[in-house]
Amino acid sequence: MPRGRQASEDDHAALRALLGETPLRRDLLIEYLHAIQDARGHLPTGLLVALAEAMRLPLAEVYETATFYAHFDIVDHGEAPPPPVTIRVCDSLSCEMAGADALAEQLKQLGSDVRVLRAPCMGQCDRAPCATYGKNVFAPASLAELTAAHEGRALHPTLPRYQGLQAYRASGGYSVLEKCRRGIISRDALIDEVDKAGLRGMGGAGFPTARKWRALLGQPKPRLLAVNGDEGEPGTLKDRFFLENEPHAVLEGMLIAAWAIEAEAAYIYLRDEYPALHHVIAAELQALKEAGLLDGLHVELRRGAGAYICGEESAMLESIEGKRGLPRQKPPYPSEVGLFGRPTLINNVETLYWVAAIADKGADWWRSHGRHGCTGLRSYSVSGRVRQPGVKLAPAGITAMELIEEYCGGMAPGHRFAAYLPGGASGGILPASMADIPLDFGKLEQYGCFIGSAAVIVLSDQDDLKKAALNLMRFFRHESCGQCTPCRLGTEKAAELMARETWDEPLLRDLAQVMRDASICGLGQAAPNPLLSVLERFK
């Protein structure tokens, strides 16, 4: 017999039934794994072997990809498959504050045919606690709701009510794109307007958008565009908000950006935690194709598989190529060597959402908004101890206190404002006494924090800040890709030390410095921020 695992004829037949007879593409490996997981509820090793043979890949390469992503379950020969239903309960900071731990314990009474798993942030922080039953999202989730879902086997996602293509066009949508394609707006004029507006990347890095576009135009063709919809930062839910309500504003921005850099193809990478949005975007892309609005641009929707690290731009490119989401060493940068080795423009969902509005209304309109010396608009994802959490479209530079009082209806009843995270899990923690700092790029760095994706989590006098910091460090430990030792072992060791009753401050500070100095990407570099915030501001 040949060495190693073998696939039977039944395995090969089952694979062909799932994927068809057409030649398999290397970059679609993760999509094929999803197809198997969706059909079987797990990944049988026989089908993985058959897939490796069909794709002419080493079995180790298929295995390392499947085991990298949290949403894939490999079941070996002779092992019992997981229960038919999986309920994932979010254990991120906002959900933990809303009682996710108690909910997860209560759900164990549903029986042996249900598997209850703790999961990192699902992008429902404003409706905490969140849980998924199959592909159906419940937020806020309760034992009664999930019990009813189990009795009715509610496995399929409920689609949101959103503005479709016809309604979007009736309100003037795609008029800017048509002006671009007809030559009424030139490439230079468009990029100059975006430049004058000062639009920056809203995914967290804040890199000037126009500078990115110009950099791509200086690179040889063919060029590609990648849309980053893999928001996974605890507290961040803005991309979900835009795609659930106005998906075509994002899609028009994508088509304008593709036109601006003369891209031949665009790839939309959307996290797996938004199953309903995969249906929405797939349907609306088909509607655009039928309406002739894609104008020959090849567009593919790609599905994440439960890996926060794929929000890092180069890790996302690796995932689109069907590989593990390991961040690349830079340089070269994606604008030079990106997806499939080609120059690639990477823009976040919110960045693209604003493109058509700026091109239509002008840079002066955009710059007329803002507070405290800042300009433009921003979406702030607010969760935690406020009366009205959610995505707030507010002037850039608004302060946390203004955001809470003017946009969130004040603090939740019985809670007194104590602290806040200005930029999600990696943005650090500040006390309420520092709630008058403008929330914008470049304003928080001097305090050891940053705005990032503008995920504002509000904590009260009833919250344990050491426990909150430990929750965030455990998130980073779970989501580390493992490529570099300072992050892989540093987050694990930090979580272990922070779980102790008494913190060893010199050791924790030394560990934090090593992680900051030596980690490959922003995950390991920023993971110590909540820890250091507690040590420096909440002794």
Side-chain angles (χ1 to χ4, degrees), residues 53 88 134 139 160 189 194 207 214 323 354 358 379 387 400 421 493 506 508 526 531:
E53 292 178 6
R88 286 185 165 87
V194 172
F207 194 84
R214 287 197 179 104
K323 305 171 186 174
W354 294 115
I358 290 173
S379 65
R387 192 183 295 269
L421 283 70
K493 187 64 176 178
L508 282 168
L531 160 66

Side-chain angles (χ1 to χ4, degrees), residues 417-481:
F417 185 26
Y420 68 105
L421 283 70
S426 56
I429 308 174
L430 291 172
S433 60
M434 299 178 69
D436 57 349
I437 303 170
L439 297 176
D440 200 13
F441 297 116
K443 302 296 183 180
L444 295 158
E445 284 77 0
Q446 60 183 309
Y447 307 107
C449 299
F450 55 82
I451 186 66
S453 58
V456 181
I457 303 177
V458 179
L459 307 175
S460 79
D461 56 336
Q462 299 182 31
D463 295 310
D464 183 337
L465 290 177
K466 286 178 66 176
K467 186 178 179 181
L470 175 59
N471 176 288
L472 300 173
M473 187 59 73
R474 284 173 172 164
F475 168 79
F476 290 121
R477 178 187 65 185
H478 181 271
E479 294 301 317
S480 173
C481 74

Side-chain angles (χ1 to χ4, degrees), residues 241-508:
F241 172 82
F242 290 123
L243 292 174
E244 280 185 346
N245 292 282
E246 300 177 80
H248 281 283
V250 178
L251 293 175
E252 183 177 12
M254 175 192 75
L255 294 176
I256 292 171
W259 171 84
I261 67 162
E262 300 180 87
E264 72 166 25
Y267 295 80
I268 303 172
Y269 190 88
L270 185 58
R271 67 189 309 221
D272 198 33
E273 287 81 357
Y274 296 158
L277 287 179
H278 283 272
H279 291 275
V280 169
I281 301 304
E284 296 310 308
L285 285 175
Q286 182 61 33
L288 286 174
K289 184 177 181 180
E290 293 172 358
L293 287 170
L294 294 184
D295 193 35
L297 180 71
H298 177 73
V299 182
E300 291 190 22
L301 175 62
R302 294 298 182 86
R303 179 177 166 188
Y308 162 71
I309 190 61
C310 291
E312 196 277 337
E313 59 178 13
S314 64
M316 178 188 69
L317 298 182
E318 291 287 300
S319 191
I320 294 175
E321 292 179 0
K323 305 171 186 174
R324 294 175 293 167
L326 301 181
R328 299 174 179 175
Q329 293 279 11
K330 301 173 186 177
Y333 295 96
S335 59
E336 302 163 326
V337 180
L339 192 57
F340 310 120
R342 300 176 180 179
T344 303
L345 170 66
I346 302 173
N347 279 147
N348 166 263
V349 164
E350 185 188 355
T351 306
L352 295 174
Y353 174 84
W354 294 115
V355 165
I358 290 173
D360 182 39
K361 299 177 182 179
D364 291 339
W365 162 80
W366 176 261
R367 296 184 68 83
S368 67
H369 299 278
R371 292 188 185 179
H372 307 295
C374 304
T375 58
L377 292 165
R378 283 209 68 153
S379 65
Y380 295 89
S381 305
V382 187
S383 62
R385 309 299 191 182
V386 294
R387 192 183 295 269
Q388 299 166 7
V391 174
K392 312 297 179 181
L393 298 182
I398 194 172
T399 67
M401 184 61 74
E402 292 169 340
L403 194 61
I404 294 169
E405 295 298 327
E406 298 177 31
Y407 288 83
C408 301
M411 294 293 292
H415 291 270
R416 182 173 58 83
F417 185 26
Y420 68 105
L421 283 70
S426 56
I429 308 174
L430 291 172
S433 60
M434 299 178 69
D436 57 349
I437 303 170
L439 297 176
D440 200 13
F441 297 116
K443 302 296 183 180
L444 295 158
E445 284 77 0
Q446 60 183 309
Y447 307 107
C449 299
F450 55 82
I451 186 66
S453 58
V456 181
I457 303 177
V458 179
L459 307 175
S460 79
D461 56 336
Q462 299 182 31
D463 295 310
D464 183 337
L465 290 177
K466 286 178 66 176
K467 186 178 179 181
L470 175 59
N471 176 288
L472 300 173
M473 187 59 73
R474 284 173 172 164
F475 168 79
F476 290 121
R477 178 187 65 185
H478 181 271
E479 294 301 317
S480 173
C481 74
Q483 182 179 190
C484 66
T485 304
C487 178
R488 181 182 67 251
L489 297 184
T491 53
E492 181 179 354
K493 187 64 176 178
E496 177 190 329
L497 292 170
M498 292 168 69
R500 297 177 183 177
E501 185 175 347
T502 302
W503 284 8
D504 186 337
E505 182 174 343
L507 181 57
L508 282 168

Side-chain angles (χ1 to χ4, degrees), residues 77-280:
H77 292 292
E79 291 183 350
V85 175
T86 296
I87 297 179
R88 286 185 165 87
V89 180
C90 178
D91 63 2
S92 71
L93 181 57
S94 298
C95 285
E96 183 183 78
M97 291 160 61
D101 290 342
L103 176 63
E105 289 300 313
Q106 294 168 355
L107 289 171
K108 292 179 180 178
Q109 69 187 50
L110 291 181
S112 59
D113 62 337
V114 175
R115 176 177 60 162
V116 179
L117 298 178
R118 303 295 183 97
C121 187
M122 300 177 183
Q124 307 284 341
C125 313
D126 57 329
R127 303 188 291 218
C130 169
T132 60
Y133 182 94
K135 296 295 181 184
N136 207 344
V137 178
F138 291 87
S142 66
L143 176 62
E145 275 189 312
L146 289 162
T147 301
H150 183 51
E151 292 171 353
R153 284 296 195 270
L155 292 168
H156 303 291
T158 301
L159 301 187
R161 294 182 179 180
Y162 63 92
Q163 186 183 44
L165 177 58
Q166 185 175 354
Y168 183 70
R169 297 191 78 175
S171 65
Y174 290 104
S175 59
V176 173
L177 176 65
E178 291 174 357
K179 289 178 182 177
C180 291
R181 288 175 174 172
R182 289 161 51 192
I184 298 174
I185 300 176
S186 68
R187 281 186 177 81
D188 288 342
L190 171 68
I191 297 175
D192 285 345
E193 202 67 24
V194 172
D195 194 8
K196 285 191 292 183
L199 181 65
R200 300 174 69 169
M202 300 297 191
F207 194 84
T209 302
R211 194 187 304 175
K212 263 192 179 183
W213 291 8
R214 287 197 179 104
L216 261 294
L217 285 173
Q219 296 297 321
K221 294 181 181 180
R223 308 180 190 117
L224 303 176
L225 167 65
V227 179
N228 191 341
D230 194 60
E231 61 177 1
E233 184 89 3
T236 306
L237 47 127
K238 59 190 180 61
D239 293 353
R240 189 206 82 211
F241 172 82
F242 290 123
L243 292 174
E244 280 185 346
N245 292 282
E246 300 177 80
H248 281 283
V250 178
L251 293 175
E252 183 177 12
M254 175 192 75
L255 294 176
I256 292 171
W259 171 84
I261 67 162
E262 300 180 87
E264 72 166 25
Y267 295 80
I268 303 172
Y269 190 88
L270 185 58
R271 67 189 309 221
D272 198 33
E273 287 81 357
Y274 296 158
L277 287 179
H278 283 272
H279 291 275
V280 169

